[in-house]
Amino acid sequence: MASNDSIKKTLTVAVTLCVVCSVIVSTAAVMLRPMQQENKALDFKRNILIAANLMEEGKSVDELFEKVETRLVDLRTGKFSDDLNTDSYDQRKAIKNPELSQSLSAEDDVAGLSRRENYAMVYIVRGGSGIEKIVLPIRGYGLWSTLWGFIALEDDFNTVVGLGYYEHGETPGLGGEVDNPKWKSIWEGKTVYNNQGDVALAVVKGAVDPSSSGSEYKVDGLSGATLTSDGVTNMIHFWLGENGYATFLENLKNGEA
Ligand SMILES: Cc1cc2nc3c(=O)[nH]c(=O)nc-3n(C[C@H](O)[C@H](O)[C@H](O)COP(=O)(O)O)c2cc1C
């Protein structure tokens, strides 16, 4: 009788185990993919609702998201557009498509994006007298990663309702503190544009004295994470500036979007 210690038997057991395990892992990966995509989409919506301060205890994300209207904006003209279907438009894929995006010069690219898509999806909450809140997607480079998130503005298109990220790779406890609800709450009520119409909102080093001049434009820096904090400032300046939503927000103010 052949010994169980033979090389042939050892190899047979090892190979069989590898094949069985890889089949189990790949089957699980394939079967779980639709669930993961569904959860990702739900998390995306949840973050839009959080930025707009619309989360309510006891109500589902889908139920609350019914209040939100998704529209496409042509960033080149600053106007709403029906050129593409919002159900099928993939803004992330569009960034890499030369027909749907444009490259940015080094001078314009303050947020480290390389390219900017021509069309952006925006999320609108309407009230009795028109737009009540608008949620704008933003992204930009921090220290280790691109941070993907939203900034929500009130109906003056200048006062911040909220800011948050749904994806980033910054260090937990340092740059990862962008997810800290306490830090996120500081953004509420801050002002984006100064009297000259320039983007003045910025994350500054240290804590902001609320009685100091210009404090409405300043957000406390993340301690030990100045590079991520600067990344947040840069993306605010890019996306609310002339290569981002500035023209669109101006058109909205004038009723011309
Ligand atoms: C392992 C490690 C991870 C770090 N992660 C971050 C980070 O996510 N964001 C960040 O801005 N700085 C991070 N830093 C710190 C930066 O290198 C840099 O020192 C810091 O941004 C300076 O901020 P400060 O002037 O507030 O200390 C990390 C440092 C180390 C050693």
Side-chain angles (χ1 to χ4, degrees), residues 142-145 168-177 205-206 221-231:
L143 171 60
W144 309 112
S145 66
H168 68 79
E170 302 301 284
T171 314
L174 292 169
E177 287 297 287
K205 213 168 157 74
L222 298 164
S223 60
T226 298
L227 298 171
T228 304
S229 303
D230 289 348

Side-chain angles (χ1 to χ4, degrees), residues 61-94:
V61 167
D62 281 329
E63 204 178 338
L64 292 167
F65 206 78
E66 280 171 18
K67 291 184 198 157
V68 180
E69 180 187 325
T70 303
R71 292 291 307 269
L72 194 73
V73 170
D74 188 333
L75 292 170
R76 297 162 299 183
T77 59
K79 302 213 171 186
F80 287 121
S81 166
D82 292 320
D83 288 352
L84 304 164
N85 183 343
T86 53
D87 290 335
S88 55
Y89 175 58
D90 187 331
Q91 200 169 330
R92 270 176 102 136
K93 275 193 187 153

Side-chain angles (χ1 to χ4, degrees), residues 12 19 27 77 80 83-84 86 100 105 110 113 115 124 133-134 149 152 154 157 159 165 174 202 211 216 223 225 240:
T12 308
V19 170
T27 309
T77 59
F80 287 121
D83 288 352
L84 304 164
T86 53
L100 290 173
S105 69
V110 290
L113 308 176
R115 303 186 68 80
I124 293 167
K133 294 173 186 176
I134 188 152
E154 284 181 14
F157 310 116
T159 307
Y165 295 99
L174 292 169
S211 63
E216 68 272 33
S223 60
L240 293 157

